[in-house]
Amino acid sequence: MTEIAKDPLLPGKAIITAIRQDTEDIKTYQVRDVNGGKPFDFEPGQCAMLSLPPAGEAIFSITSSPLAEMMEFSIKNVGRVTSEIHNLKVGDQIGIRGPYGTPFPVADFQKDDLLFIGGGIGLAPLRSVINYVLKKRDNYGKVDIVCGCRTCNDFVHYEEITEEWPQKPETDVHLTVDKATDDWTGFEGYIPDYLEELNFSPAEKKAIVCGPPIMIKFVVQQLKESGFDPADIYTTLELKMKCGIGKCGRCNIGSKYVCKDGPVFTAKELAGLIETF
């Protein structure tokens, strides 16, 4: 294990080894530890704290698969820390600690059909799970991936979504945008409306959802109206995480502390709480 993994509360040093500009305000950073390896082991859906003194630190979903030899983060420029991270270059150092939070129970998903639903930057944590599942393709049933963004220019990992994932066996990708351009050939409309049109059967299927809170609320509502059992609907509330270890008390939703109890929950576990998003 690397020095970083000995104490999850002590940031270690990581090196930025690649940067990709995904959209106007989102970049994906590939990081490795100082020895060239993965900073620490993690499971799909877990998060890490990135720090950049004196700007501060913030928690981010790990968007790469645990099976990859490095670690990736897709980061939207929305504040002081993310703005400073967007100024970094390949070869710069950044602090990192983790992993934090509960993962998606990928072992329990085996043999089931899987329906992934991601909105905007919410695809980032799902990408870790999707690439893990596609790497172990024989262990899982049919895979459907529904992605939605404001426009076609807002998709993160667009080439992977449109060129790599649809080539995998029994894997279909469904795209929608809020506002279509003249050359857009996919669906135009919000994700809940697209789900209603796609009309997925809930039989032997698990749904995994991530996106803005308001999207999660209406997607879960649509899935339940389609017959999905709330126990078979999973979501991650990593956007609510703050300190990552449940000490600051800023991540609570009702009786749940996202850092300690999540961020991965089923809709059954969040009964009565999703409606407050």
Side-chain angles (χ1 to χ4, degrees):
M1 302 294 283
T2 68
E3 179 183 354
I4 292 174
K6 291 179 180 178
D7 185 349
L9 299 180
L10 181 66
K13 293 179 181 178
I15 308 293
I16 294 175
T17 54
I19 301 173
R20 184 180 66 245
Q21 183 88 43
D22 284 303
T23 72
E24 183 178 348
D25 56 0
I26 298 174
K27 293 181 179 179
T28 293
Y29 294 82
Q30 181 186 105
V31 302
R32 299 175 184 267
D33 67 17
V34 293
N35 298 314
K38 189 161 51 181
F40 46 77
D41 291 328
F42 65 96
E43 298 180 66
Q46 289 192 295
C47 303
M49 191 75 76
L50 299 181
S51 55
L52 191 64
E57 63 178 4
I59 199 160
F60 298 95
S61 294
I62 303 168
T63 190
S64 52
S65 165
L67 303 175
E69 296 298 323
M70 46 70 196
M71 197 174 284
E72 285 187 330
F73 299 89
S74 294
I75 298 176
K76 187 171 186 175
N77 187 354
V78 293
R80 187 172 70 161
V81 175
T82 55
S83 177
E84 290 299 321
I85 292 176
H86 268 235
N87 289 330
L88 295 177
K89 303 180 295 296
V90 171
D92 286 343
Q93 291 188 354
I94 192 168
I96 186 171
R97 59 185 173 96
Y100 295 115
T102 54
F104 286 99
V106 288
D108 296 340
F109 293 165
Q110 293 193 20
K111 305 306 178 187
D112 285 321
D113 293 344
L114 300 177
L115 170 59
F116 293 95
I117 305 167
I121 189 64
L123 183 65
L126 297 191
R127 179 177 178 250
S128 177
V129 195
I130 292 169
N131 280 328
Y132 178 90
V133 167
L134 296 182
K135 189 72 173 180
K136 295 177 174 288
R137 193 65 194 84
D138 292 342
N139 294 345
Y140 299 91
K142 175 84 164 47
V143 171
D144 283 282
I145 303 165
V146 179
C147 301
C149 284
R150 290 175 300 173
T151 73
C152 61
N153 295 322
D154 294 315
F155 284 100
V156 183
H157 315 291
Y158 187 72
E159 291 185 359
E160 185 177 50
I161 293 171
T162 58
E163 298 179 13
E164 295 183 26
W165 289 350
Q167 299 302 317
K168 303 295 183 183
E170 289 193 275
T171 303
D172 288 327
V173 174
H174 315 269
L175 301 183
T176 181
V177 295
D178 297 350
K179 186 175 182 180
T181 52
D182 292 340
D183 58 347
W184 177 252
T185 58
F187 186 83
E188 181 180 8
Y190 296 121
I191 291 178
D193 298 328
Y194 195 23
L195 290 174
E196 185 174 9
E197 175 165 310
L198 291 168
N199 193 28
F200 292 107
S201 168
E204 305 296 328
K205 188 181 269 87
K206 298 287 192 300
I208 303 99
V209 183
C210 188
I214 191 68
M215 188 214 86
I216 294 175
K217 174 182 177 179
F218 286 104
V219 164
V220 169
Q221 179 178 311
Q222 178 61 47
L223 291 172
K224 288 195 288 189
E225 290 175 0
S226 298
F228 279 78
D229 188 323
D232 290 332
I233 303 172
Y234 293 79
T235 189
T236 173
L237 307 181
E238 91 288 346
L239 290 176
K240 296 283 188 181
M241 295 177 75
K242 299 299 180 185
C243 70
I245 54 177
K247 294 294 185 183
C248 73
R250 297 169 60 195
C251 65
N252 72 298
I253 301 175
S255 60
K256 306 289 187 185
Y257 282 86
V258 177
C259 287
K260 292 176 62 177
D261 303 320
V264 174
F265 298 95
T266 66
K268 181 179 180 180
E269 292 172 318
L270 294 175
L273 300 178
I274 289 181
E275 290 75 9
T276 66
F277 284 4

